[in-house]
Amino acid sequence: AQSVTQLGSHVSVSEGALVLLRCNYSSSVPPYLFWYVQYPNQGLQLLLKYTTGATLVKGINGFEAEFKKSETSFHLTKPSAHMSDAAEYFCAVSGNYGGSQGNLIFGKGTKLSVKP
Amino acid sequence: DGGITQSPKYLFRKEGQNVTLSCEQNLNHDAMYWYRQDPGQGLRLIYYSQIVNDFQKGDIAEGYSVSREKKESFPLTVTSAQKNPTAFYLCASSISPSTYEQYFGPGTRLTVT
């Protein structure tokens, strides 16, 4: 069965500092991997995704993530944090729930705080 | 504009009442999903539908019911059998199950007292 672990439920950085949000996954088949962002009381917005091909994936708002198969990781980074990056971030892996394609398995989320 | 709409944004109900949450999409997506979100729990799958007139239970289907009579619509009913219904409910859709990429609605916050 597929699973996702996000290390750290809360991460705090200073404005301008590097953002690193960690995601490790478990999957018995080649995974599709996703990062979503959620602002308070809103739905989830796709930041970036990995399906096949290039392992370094660039997304919106300056975020990027690297798929490392040997480490089963898909960590999210941004070189310089902005106040507007404060939100909750979810990592997700493709799942085959009940034998059906199409489902995503989500991590529990990491709340990012950005200090001025 | 194409997208997913959920209504209402906030919903209040008394314990023992059934309540139906609306989810509509005009993206022409085949698959639709309902999730429940509780603080620190991530998203948990309630039901999903990959095609009209068909749906499957997710991890936490007990106390919930759905229908998929039209491609655009996937309403969720929270029944009185759901022991702890207060939560944030998110609807999502994907163009087809094989893409896995899901688009989310704005959510409905349900409070039951």
Side-chain angles (χ1 to χ4, degrees), chain A residues 12-106:
Chain A
S12 182
V13 301
S14 297
E15 193 172 18
L18 171 73
V19 176
L20 170 61
L21 303 182
R22 299 178 187 273
C23 173
N24 288 89
Y25 70 91
S26 170
S27 178
S28 56
V29 296
Y32 288 9
L33 292 157
F34 302 83
W35 275 101
Y36 285 87
V37 61
Q38 184 182 35
Y39 298 97
N41 290 313
Q42 294 186 26
L44 275 66
Q45 180 185 5
L46 181 66
L47 271 180
L48 50 78
K49 64 181 179 184
Y50 168 80
T51 54
T52 58
T55 56
L56 182 62
V57 179
K58 295 188 186 298
I60 62 172
N61 301 338
F63 285 94
E64 62 182 38
E66 187 171 10
F67 170 60
K68 292 188 176 180
K69 184 179 177 182
S70 60
E71 298 178 9
T72 60
S73 69
F74 191 57
H75 302 330
L76 182 70
T77 60
K78 182 173 180 178
S80 176
H82 191 273
M83 297 296 291
S84 61
D85 295 326
E88 190 160 19
Y89 293 80
F90 291 93
C91 181
V93 66
S94 51
N96 290 307
Y97 191 90
S100 300
Q101 280 187 315
N103 293 301
L104 292 179
I105 311 300
F106 286 86

Side-chain angles (χ1 to χ4, degrees), chain B:
Chain B
D1 285 337
I4 302 174
T5 57
Q6 292 186 243
S7 60
K9 180 70 174 172
Y10 298 94
L11 191 53
F12 298 88
R13 280 294 183 268
K14 295 289 188 186
E15 197 173 319
Q17 294 178 335
N18 291 356
V19 59
T20 297
L21 281 59
S22 167
C23 178
E24 304 277 333
Q25 55 98 357
N26 61 2
L27 300 167
N28 199 32
H29 285 181
D30 285 334
M32 298 186 74
Y33 308 83
W34 273 107
Y35 294 92
R36 171 181 171 136
Q37 186 177 20
D38 297 283
Q41 297 290 319
L43 276 69
R44 292 183 289 169
L45 183 64
I46 305 173
Y47 269 98
Y48 64 99
S49 168
Q50 297 187 333
I51 196 169
V52 174
N53 291 322
D54 187 51
F55 49 82
Q56 305 295 330
K57 293 181 179 180
D59 294 317
I60 55 165
E62 185 175 349
Y64 299 98
S65 66
V66 294
S67 63
R68 185 90 187 274
E69 297 176 0
K70 298 187 298 181
K71 189 174 186 178
E72 305 79 29
S73 179
F74 191 42
L76 173 74
T77 297
V78 184
T79 75
S80 56
Q82 168 50 234
K83 292 186 174 125
N84 186 18
T86 294
F88 191 52
Y89 291 88
L90 287 160
C91 179
S93 69
S94 66
I95 191 164
S96 81
S98 62
T99 64
Y100 290 97
E101 181 176 335
Q102 295 181 15
Y103 296 79
F104 283 80
T108 292
R109 186 166 296 281
L110 173 65
T111 303
V112 177
T113 56

